[in-house]
Amino acid sequence: MRVLGIETSCDETGVAIYDSEAGLLGDALYSQIAVHAEYGGVVPELASRDHVRKLLPLVNEVLQQAGMQGSELDAVAYTAGPGLIGALMVGASTGRAMALAWGIPAIGVHHMEGHLLAPMLEEQPPAFPFVALLVSGGHTQLVQVDGIGEYTLLGESLDDAAGEAFDKAAKMIGLNYPGGPEVARLAAQGDQSRFRFPRPMTDRPGLDFSFSGLKTFTLNTANDLRVEGELSDKDRCDIAAAFENAVVDTLAIKCRRALQQTGFKQLIIAGGVSANQRLRDRLEAMVKKERAALFYARPRFCTDNGAMIAYAGCQRLMAGQSSDLSIQCQPRWPMDTLPSIAL
Ligand code: KG4
Ligand code: ZN
């Protein structure tokens, strides 16, 4: 089955074609970072308009990569939520309309399920069951995954998501949006031992997270060091290192607990923050001690992309699921309400 995947939930227009036999046949991505950078974050109205501009050219591009006509596709998968409603509606209505024109089924895909399944696109995919750490700009969740659509939420952030915390910390030390990669870049040059930032909620049992205290701590540290409103380059790097270290440690402690609690021996990490090298290194060390294995997607498929939507949609379509002609997007959509594909 060959599925066109469309991702437009936030600030990336992603399109890909996934073939259940041959794997990825085409994959194109347009990032709107430049559009939003001057505002310091995503402006929803601008995001929707930019998706409108880019989506069809990208569809053409991936069809060319795959050497196919649209009419040769078997189905269309589009992100139906969670995300920005205007942005979601662009991908959903375009995807649904193309499927109608080509006389093929379409399916609305859950964005976080897309992230969660992205490591399946790699050469050595994990096998069910596993523990998943989903760390993106909007979500931080630990999930027990027994199969596709068999999700048990083990813990989640009570306030900011990990990616959001990275973005806010970046802003505090004068870095551009999106802050995660920028903080990581500076952190690599920073002195990790200069500051000790808190590891929130690690001193009590449970698998929930909270990053707002860490955010305040970061702000206070930065403010104490400012001279005439400015931070030195060294201070910025050292703060970035301390912040990244604290987030990574916190995530690693909870991941270890989740492995111990479930008895599972496989951990997958997915979502934008899973591209973070220090997180990958820390978790590699942790799973080794737990005699478990770590899985993640290549960096391009950690952040938003069309391939993960094509893949997730394909799995559900092959199980006989599809969405009807009325387009329904859900800006908020708990992942544990998804049906199992075994049903
Ligand atoms: O999954 P994603 O592309 O979009 C959402 O679904 O939210 O995640 C974006 C988030 C942003 O907050 C970004 O700062 C963060 O992922 N991010 C990173 C890195 N790359 C992206 N955070 C830390 N280190 C990175 N290397
Ligand atoms: Zn995402």
Side-chain angles (χ1 to χ4, degrees), residues 50 67 146 162 189 192 279 328:
D50 222 32
D146 289 295
Q189 304 158 42
Q192 280 185 53
L279 176 65
Q328 289 178 16

Side-chain angles (χ1 to χ4, degrees), residues 87-147:
L88 289 167
M89 287 305 293
V90 177
S93 11
T94 310
R96 194 61 196 90
M98 288 191 298
L100 182 65
W102 290 325
I104 55 178
I107 188 162
V109 170
H110 192 289
H111 180 79
M112 296 312 292
E113 178 170 79
H115 276 304
L116 189 150
L117 297 176
M120 298 292 192
L121 290 163
E122 300 305 327
E123 248 171 51
Q124 291 190 320
F128 300 112
F130 50 75
V131 170
L133 173 71
L134 303 179
V135 269
S136 69
H139 293 79
T140 299
Q141 296 183 327
L142 269 166
V143 185
Q144 175 177 328
V145 181
D146 289 295

Side-chain angles (χ1 to χ4, degrees), residues 12 111 115 136-138 163-164 166-167 178-181 271-273 275-276 302-304:
E12 251 114 22
H111 180 79
H115 276 304
S136 69
E164 190 181 0
F166 263 100
D167 295 338
V273 182
N276 185 279
C302 289
T303 45
D304 292 349

Side-chain angles (χ1 to χ4, degrees), residues 11 33 35-44 46 167 171 176-178:
D11 60 347
I33 285 175
V35 175
H36 304 291
E38 65 174 295
Y39 304 96
V42 178
V43 183
L46 295 181
D167 295 338
K171 227 179 207 176
N176 288 333
Y177 172 84

Side-chain angles (χ1 to χ4, degrees), residues 196-206 208-211 246-254 256-257:
R196 167 100 190 155
F197 282 20
R199 273 70 173 149
M201 294 183 70
T202 52
D203 54 353
R204 60 182 110 152
D208 286 334
F209 304 89
S210 162
F211 291 107
V247 174
V248 164
D249 250 9
T250 306
L251 294 174
I253 290 167
K254 298 289 162 109
R256 190 182 62 224
R257 273 187 207 166

Side-chain angles (χ1 to χ4, degrees), residues 1-3 18-22 74-75 77 105 107 148 310-322 341-343:
M1 173 176 264
R2 291 186 291 192
V3 180
Y18 178 78
D19 180 328
S20 54
E21 301 291 314
D74 297 303
I107 188 162
I148 294 179
Y311 179 85
C314 185
Q315 304 312 307
R316 289 192 171 275
L317 287 153
M318 286 195 302
Q321 298 178 9
S322 64
I341 68 162
L343 289 178

